[in-house]
């Protein structure tokens, strides 16, 4: 029987780290899958279940047909297989099986995998080995370098033509007055975006579509529209003068207009703490963002994975675990985005959160990052000793416990249930929060209860209040001249006392 779904498992055989319910639910591709998975999260729904020390979990779940669905999960990938017809990954059966496993391991006795599960595991691990072997081999160049160069030149010419046309349309908009944007409707913007797609500049097309939504964004929209038009004009001019830009900024401009730039930096091996994972739908595409923090390098990395509408992206990492792996950075000013590479061994317990800074440090880091990438919406930040407090009839702020400053919680975060998790975790006391700090406010993605000095390992934390040098300086593994994220400990110092997955202490709380 065919088993479907994705993910590439590890091939090591050591005891797998235990997960939490929050980590399992964070893997769900959407809210309905999360709810359906909970419904299958009891041992009564399963038969023939078991697990082994290599991280494999399997079981049979009765469905609408005569034969039960065969479900198997490799928690080291993680990778999922199920004989159900669902196209979602993980499906509700995989989620339910994992919920049984984390709630009561004795409900899934240790045993040898049955034939159908063993066959799936062998097949997946074989494909993973082939994939890894291909990645470690020499990278083949284009079959005809000269033809590839001519294609690149033709595309660059089309993008330049699109940028020039967009400049003319922006000039017409400003000449006619911003009020006309509210009267002309969304059709004008969609037609302009289609022209940018024809020019093979999807990045410009996406920004034009964002412009079209500004007039309906509420009071003050003309100011926001003018700001976005200015940023789009800046991107147009940067593309048309890209030959005069320094290479890191030129790489950023290429990415912003929509050119695919391969990951080309030297691989960075580290113990990467998985800070957050969330999906963003964009028309017919779903983008998954996974934030990592390197224990040794102190750098923050962003992994992206894409899936067609209705199908979850393949990459899936449990929030709160630490993965020993290599990543390859993409070129660009900030070098946040990276390509996942080889993993070494099984995921381990999370340990402790990154050391953080104040709200002022977060703003300074974002401002410094904007010097290298003016189109940056937000910058990854860890805040320590902050308290969520109400602000106005509907707003919330994260306030420094010392009362030195505050950051408004971004509007999208106020509409998510994660905000109330954060408020409950805090209970009026300081917490540590990881999120994205940008011009729209702070978007919290994960949180921990705050430690005290007595809880730490005896190594004093870097003083986050000592100015931006403690938050945006450089260090081993960071890019000179580019601000690293707030919360990257100098010297690789870790703060202890905040419990982690499997450590018996307070766990990371995903907020998305």
């Amino acid at each position: 029987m065919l088993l479907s779904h994705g993910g590439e498992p590890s091939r090591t055989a050591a005891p797998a780290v235990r997960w939490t319910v929050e980590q399992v639910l964070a893997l769900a591709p959407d809210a309905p899958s999360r709810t359906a998975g909970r419904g299958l999260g009891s041992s009564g729904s399963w038969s023939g279940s078991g697990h082994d020390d290599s991280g494999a979990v399997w079981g049979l779940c009765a469905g609408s047909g005569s034969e039960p669905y065969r479900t198997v999960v490799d928690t080291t990938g993680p990778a999922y297989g199920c004989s159900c017809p669902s196209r979602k990954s993980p499906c509700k059966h995989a989620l339910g099986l994992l919920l049984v496993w984390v709630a009561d391991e004795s409900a899934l006795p240790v045993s040898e995998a049955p034939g159908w599960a063993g066959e799936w595991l062998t097949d997946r691990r074989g494909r993973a080995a082939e994939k890894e072997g291909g990645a470690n081999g020499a990278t083949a160049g284009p079959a005809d370098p000269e033809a590839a160069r001519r294609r690149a030149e033709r595309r660059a010419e089309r993008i330049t033509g699109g940028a020039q046309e967009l400049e003319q349309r922006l000039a017409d908009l400003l000449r006619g007055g911003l009020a006309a944007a509210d009267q002309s409707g969304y059709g004008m913007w969609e037609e302009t975006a289609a022209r940018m797609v024809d020019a093979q500049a999807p990045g410009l097309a996406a920004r034009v579509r964002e412009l079209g939504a500004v007039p309906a964004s509420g009071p003050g929209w003309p100011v926001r529209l003018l700001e976005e038009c200015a940023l789009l004009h800046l991107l147009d001019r940067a593309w048309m003068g890209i030959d005069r830009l320094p290479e890191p900024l030129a790489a950023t401009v290429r990415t912003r207009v929509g050119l695919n730039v391969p990951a080309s930096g030297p691989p960075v091996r580290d113990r990467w703490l998985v800070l957050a994972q969330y999906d963003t739908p964009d028309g017919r595409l779903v983008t998954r963002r996974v934030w990592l923090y390197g224990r040794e390098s102190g750098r923050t990395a962003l992994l992206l994975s894409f899936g067609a509408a209705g199908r979850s992206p393949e990459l899936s990492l449990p929030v709160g675990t630490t993965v020993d792996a290599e990543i390859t950075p993409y070129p660009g000013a900030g070098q946040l985005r990276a390509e996942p590479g080889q993993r070494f061994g099984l995921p381990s317990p999370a340990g402790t959160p990154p050391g953080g800074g104040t709200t002022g440090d977060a703003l300074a880091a974002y401002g410094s990052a904007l010097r290298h990438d003016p189109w940056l919406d937000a910058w990854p930040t860890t805040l320590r000793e902050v308290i969520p407090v109400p602000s106005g009839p509907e707003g919330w702020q994260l306030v420094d416990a010392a009362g030195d400053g505050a950051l408004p919680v971004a509007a999208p975060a106020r509409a998510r249930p994660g905000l109330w998790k954060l408020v409950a975790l805090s209970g009026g006391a300081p917490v540590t929060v990881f999120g994205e700090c940008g011009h729209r406010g702070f978007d919290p993605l994960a949180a921990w209860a705050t430690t005290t000095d007595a809880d730490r390992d005896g190594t004093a934390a870097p003083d986050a209040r000592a100015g931006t040098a403690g938050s945006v300086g450089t260090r081993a593994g960071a890019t000179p001249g580019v601000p690293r994220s707030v919360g990257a400990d100098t010297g690789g110092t870790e703060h202890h006392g905040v419990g982690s997955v499997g450590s018996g202490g307070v766990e990371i709380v995903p907020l998305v």
Side-chain angles (χ1 to χ4, degrees), residues 165 220 263 266 320 327 366 446:
E165 180 180 348
I327 65 170
Y366 176 54

Side-chain angles (χ1 to χ4, degrees), residues 156-228:
E157 290 174 358
R158 284 192 288 268
I159 294 175
T160 298
Q164 291 171 343
E165 180 180 348
L166 184 54
E167 281 291 281
Q168 183 60 51
R169 297 200 177 203
L170 289 175
D172 293 341
L173 172 65
L174 296 178
R175 189 178 299 111
L178 292 179
D182 189 27
Q183 300 167 3
S184 57
Y186 190 76
M188 176 191 71
W189 303 104
E190 185 58 39
E191 190 270 336
T192 303
R195 295 286 295 168
M196 296 304 103
V197 172
D198 292 341
Q200 295 186 294
L204 295 180
R207 287 191 166 269
V208 169
R209 291 191 176 98
E210 291 176 1
L211 285 180
V214 172
S217 62
W221 69 263
V223 174
R224 292 190 292 275
L225 182 60
L226 183 60
E227 291 172 348
E228 295 300 324

Side-chain angles (χ1 to χ4, degrees), residues 26 273-279 288-293 300-303 315-321 434-436 443-448 508-512:
L273 169 61
V274 184
L275 293 170
Q277 174 179 293
Y278 64 96
D279 295 347
R288 172 165 294 168
R289 290 171 169 82
V290 182
W291 283 108
L292 306 177
Y293 168 73
T300 303
L302 174 65
L303 308 183
L315 178 65
S316 183
L317 296 175
V319 174
T321 56
F434 170 78
E436 300 171 0
D443 192 351
L445 303 177
W448 303 257
I508 182 174
V509 178
L511 303 178
V512 288

Side-chain angles (χ1 to χ4, degrees), residues 328-406:
T328 303
Y330 281 80
Q335 288 196 325
L336 284 176
R337 187 186 174 191
E339 183 73 18
Q342 183 179 0
R343 298 187 200 177
F344 306 90
L346 297 173
S348 62
T352 52
T358 66
T359 57
D361 295 329
L363 289 173
Y366 176 54
S368 183
L370 285 174
R371 294 184 305 176
H372 306 277
D373 183 357
W375 307 277
L376 190 67
D377 286 329
W379 188 255
T381 304
T382 301
L383 301 176
R384 291 191 71 88
E385 300 283 333
V386 293
I387 304 172
V389 299
S391 173
E394 298 181 359
W396 284 82
Q397 295 185 92
L398 295 178
V399 180
D400 288 323
D404 295 334

Side-chain angles (χ1 to χ4, degrees), residues 30 41 72 100 118 151 157 203 217 239 419 437 449 451 471 474 492:
D30 50 40
V72 56
V100 174
R151 287 195 299 269
E157 290 174 358
S217 62
W239 171 260
L419 175 61
C437 179
T451 63
S471 299
T474 58

Side-chain angles (χ1 to χ4, degrees), residues 384-480:
R384 291 191 71 88
E385 300 283 333
V386 293
I387 304 172
V389 299
S391 173
E394 298 181 359
W396 284 82
Q397 295 185 92
L398 295 178
V399 180
D400 288 323
D404 295 334
L407 284 174
V409 175
R414 297 199 301 267
R416 295 196 303 260
L419 175 61
W420 302 109
K421 292 184 183 179
L422 177 60
V423 173
L425 177 68
S426 167
V431 291
T432 297
V433 184
F434 170 78
E436 300 171 0
C437 179
H439 60 93
R440 297 182 179 91
F442 187 88
D443 192 351
L445 303 177
W448 303 257
T450 298
T451 63
T452 63
D453 291 339
D455 292 327
R456 295 175 183 152
D457 62 354
T459 304
D463 187 1
R465 299 171 192 266
T468 57
S471 299
V472 295
T474 58
R475 49 160 300 148
T479 305

